[in-house]
Amino acid sequence: MVQSLRKIPLYLIGLVLLVFTGYPFIYMISTSLKDQSTFFERPFAIFTTIEWGNYADVFQMGLTRYFLNSILVSVAAVVAVMLIAALASYPLSRMNFRFNRGLFLLFISGMMLPIHATLIPIFKLSQNMGLYDSLLALLGPYIAFSLPISIFILTQFMQEIPKSLEEAAKIDGCSHFGIFWRIILPMLTPALMTVFIYNFIHLWNEFIFALVLVSSPENMTLPLGLQDFYGEFSVNVPGLMAALTLASLPMLVVYLFSQEKVVKGLTGGAVKG
Amino acid sequence: METAEVTRSSETTKVVRQAKKKNMRKLVTISLFTAPALIVYLVYVVYPILSTLSYSFYSWDGTSDKTFIGLDNYVQLFHDAIFWTSLTNNAWVVMTSVFVQIPLGMIMALMLFAPIRGIRLFSSVYFLPFLMSTVAIGLLWVYMFDPINGIINQLINFLGFENVAWLSDENTALIAILLVVVWQFSPFYMILFKAAMVGIGEELYESAEIDGANSWQKFFHITLPLLMPTIVSSSILAIVGSLKAFDIFYIMTGGGPNHATELMGTYMFKQAFINFNMGYASAIAFIMFLIALVVTILIQVVDYNRKKKGAF
């Protein structure tokens, strides 16, 4: 009895934190299922009405297009990053040469970099290359700014693969590229998974490059599209909440099904360092 | 005698040539492997930073010809009260990250090891905010903070107090946004601390218990010291991340009201893409770069000394 009384403060703290972190989600989802009048009259009501109309409205406003754009540009950039970063990490982690350390530092220092320091030149660059206001304009900066963390994760992982493996391969007459492709890359799968998850989630949520490099609605990614909705839906709060719920859904579903992987992926580089 | 010398020297040249050839091949291999990454990185990171520096010496609207004005942008920036406000606000974000987010993250992680039921539910829900996109978070909280219909004011009303115009009041806007920042990022630090706490051996606590230590003593004498490396690396991440803050402020207030929540990032964005003062914006951007650089170097130096001393 005394034991369980002592635990009351613990439960209290646990519950307060639970409400703090969880309630905004409940509020978002339950409001998205209300009609306008219920929203005004019964702000605290949770799941008393289920009104799917808001979701239909959101789809009519073109949310699907934003979804497709986001998927397209995030997947394309992440796949390119996985390949390019893995290639670069190979000599950086497994070969001795003069500028090795310098090159490595040049790449990973990008993690500290404020995007703002590159914004105007990249904006001008996209105009000069004729890419402004297209998804292609986002690809370059997305790849470049994903490289630092990816190279950081992959070099750490590659350093731990024993050298003896590739020495044997070298004796068999395997080239460096052969070693990379046939031996290193297959062993890299868990690290590449981390790189994929980390970068995909970050690019899926990326806002400032999209804000600067894209202007017409048909090329907007999801975060930019949501911000656009904000203007259109400012009086229809349940409608906006439906859009927010839909936009958050993919991440929440993926998280529900593979919590461990997502958590590891998101904190990938940091936990180890 | 002479012939022997000649053969030897020719052999040396042969060896040297072979070594050179091998070196050449190695160089080509390294170049091929690193070229794609290096090219993308030079085009989209290194070149833009240098351009930003050069733009910052010009007066420029982004389309017509640039006018060279030397350091005028920097001089103007130095006398710009809004810039100083934004710098102060950035400092507030840093302070909140280090002194609120990290301790809260640690408390959340400690909760996950508490001897109570429902830990799995707690840990799943606690992490949720970190998964949501910043834009979605910003918009959600804008409505929760709404002066009339927002759920927070409804609650305040219900308790019998006056409405607060959270985001449109200069005195409360910054606090309101910082609360959201804490909401979003504490789960991240929770995971870092959780990972570190898993690594602390159970036997340490058991032997402390035998010596009659209570929970507080165990926390301050075992857990906290062993978490020190995580606290340091979390602080680094928090400081660097805070200097880059932009999205949530831009979405929730756009730096207003009356610059009360202005950050270097939002101020730079407005100068560049709303007022088209590209030169002035470049100066702000380059200052942001310099601050990040100095902070990074300072952290490296401190970290190096810490490791050399073997502390923690």
Side-chain angles (χ1 to χ4, degrees), chain B residues 113-151:
Chain B
F113 292 89
I116 54 176
R117 281 163 195 228
I119 296 296
R120 267 190 70 82
L121 175 74
F122 287 160
S123 85
S124 304
V125 175
Y126 288 179
F127 191 68
L128 285 181
F130 193 61
L131 286 171
M132 211 173 159
S133 91
T134 310
V135 173
I137 290 174
L139 293 178
L140 171 59
W141 283 86
V142 163
Y143 283 103
M144 303 216 334
F145 278 126
D146 189 89
I148 300 157
N149 295 311
I151 196 76

Side-chain angles (χ1 to χ4, degrees), chain B residues 32-307:
Chain B
L32 285 176
F33 270 98
T34 50
L38 202 57
I39 291 169
V40 175
Y41 200 70
L42 288 176
V43 171
Y44 286 102
V45 177
V46 179
Y47 157 76
I49 293 171
L50 298 175
S51 296
T52 297
L53 175 63
S54 97
Y55 291 162
S56 72
F57 301 127
Y58 289 87
S59 166
W60 185 36
D61 64 3
T63 42
S64 47
D65 285 339
K66 301 195 266 284
T67 324
F68 185 80
I69 53 167
L71 289 172
D72 281 7
N73 282 327
Y74 291 95
V75 174
Q76 198 189 332
L77 201 56
F78 193 77
H79 296 286
D80 185 344
I82 301 170
F83 175 72
W84 289 107
T85 310
S86 65
L87 199 64
T88 319
N89 287 341
N90 265 106
W92 277 112
V93 184
V94 172
M95 302 287 272
T96 313
S97 305
V98 175
F99 295 107
V100 182
Q101 274 174 40
I102 292 179
L104 189 63
M106 197 194 289
I107 292 172
M108 286 160 110
L110 283 169
M111 283 308 297
L112 304 184
F113 292 89
I116 54 176
R117 281 163 195 228
I119 296 296
R120 267 190 70 82
L121 175 74
F122 287 160
S123 85
S124 304
V125 175
Y126 288 179
F127 191 68
L128 285 181
F130 193 61
L131 286 171
M132 211 173 159
S133 91
T134 310
V135 173
I137 290 174
L139 293 178
L140 171 59
W141 283 86
V142 163
Y143 283 103
M144 303 216 334
F145 278 126
D146 189 89
I148 300 157
N149 295 311
I151 196 76
I152 295 170
N153 271 323
Q154 299 274 4
L155 185 69
I156 291 175
N157 271 335
F158 182 75
L159 297 174
F161 295 99
E162 288 265 310
N163 279 8
V164 180
W166 294 101
L167 296 171
S168 39
D169 185 332
E170 280 176 46
N171 299 315
T172 50
L174 186 63
I175 294 173
I177 299 187
L178 288 176
L179 176 82
V180 181
V181 175
V182 169
W183 185 78
Q184 181 181 14
F185 287 106
S186 297
F188 175 70
Y189 299 104
M190 170 187 83
I191 295 298
L192 297 191
F193 282 117
K194 187 187 168 197
M197 285 174 191
V198 169
I200 300 175
E202 198 59 43
E203 64 276 4
L204 278 173
Y205 293 106
E206 277 161 17
S207 58
E209 228 157 89
I210 292 167
D211 292 342
N214 64 28
S215 302
W216 288 110
Q217 284 169 326
K218 277 191 281 184
F219 175 74
F220 282 107
H221 291 107
I222 300 173
T223 316
L224 202 57
L226 286 172
L227 286 181
M228 223 45 203
T230 314
I231 295 174
V232 172
S233 55
S234 300
S235 306
I236 295 173
L237 290 170
I239 294 168
V240 172
S242 309
L243 289 172
K244 295 198 252 188
F246 173 80
D247 296 9
I248 203 108
F249 285 76
Y250 179 80
I251 294 286
M252 290 186 71
T253 60
N258 192 21
H259 305 291
T261 58
E262 201 75 79
L263 296 181
M264 288 187 288
T266 54
Y267 193 42
M268 179 272 168
F269 178 84
K270 281 193 248 177
Q271 287 292 352
F273 299 102
I274 293 170
N275 303 340
F276 294 101
N277 285 330
M278 295 282 187
Y280 196 54
S282 294
I284 303 172
F286 197 72
I287 295 282
M288 290 174 75
F289 169 72
L290 282 184
I291 293 175
L293 188 71
V294 170
V295 167
T296 307
I297 292 171
L298 275 180
I299 289 170
Q300 293 299 327
V301 170
V302 170
D303 200 46
Y304 178 78
N305 285 334
R306 181 174 65 93
K307 277 186 183 140

Side-chain angles (χ1 to χ4, degrees), chain A residues 126-187:
Chain A
S126 80
Q127 284 186 329
N128 294 339
M129 294 198 291
L131 296 175
Y132 176 73
D133 195 16
S134 72
L135 285 179
L136 274 179
L138 297 176
L139 212 53
Y142 279 9
I143 295 173
F145 277 85
S146 306
L147 277 176
I149 183 80
S150 309
I151 288 179
F152 182 69
I153 295 171
L154 292 176
T155 45
Q156 274 197 331
F157 193 88
M158 273 194 211
Q159 266 160 3
E160 279 158 29
I161 299 174
K163 280 244 169 186
S164 51
L165 270 175
E166 64 188 68
E167 269 151 24
K170 228 182 245 173
I171 291 164
D172 292 343
C174 213
S175 68
H176 273 294
F177 190 76
I179 296 171
F180 170 77
W181 196 254
R182 292 205 200 100
I183 300 174
I184 304 289
L185 211 52
M187 295 182 75

Side-chain angles (χ1 to χ4, degrees), chain A residues 112-123:
Chain A
M112 306 290 187
L113 189 73
I115 283 176
H116 287 80
T118 66
L119 216 48
I120 294 173
I122 287 179
F123 169 70

Side-chain angles (χ1 to χ4, degrees), chain A residues 15 41 46 48 72 160 170 250:
Chain A
L15 278 176
E41 283 155 22
I46 291 171
T48 45
L72 204 67
E160 279 158 29
K170 228 182 245 173

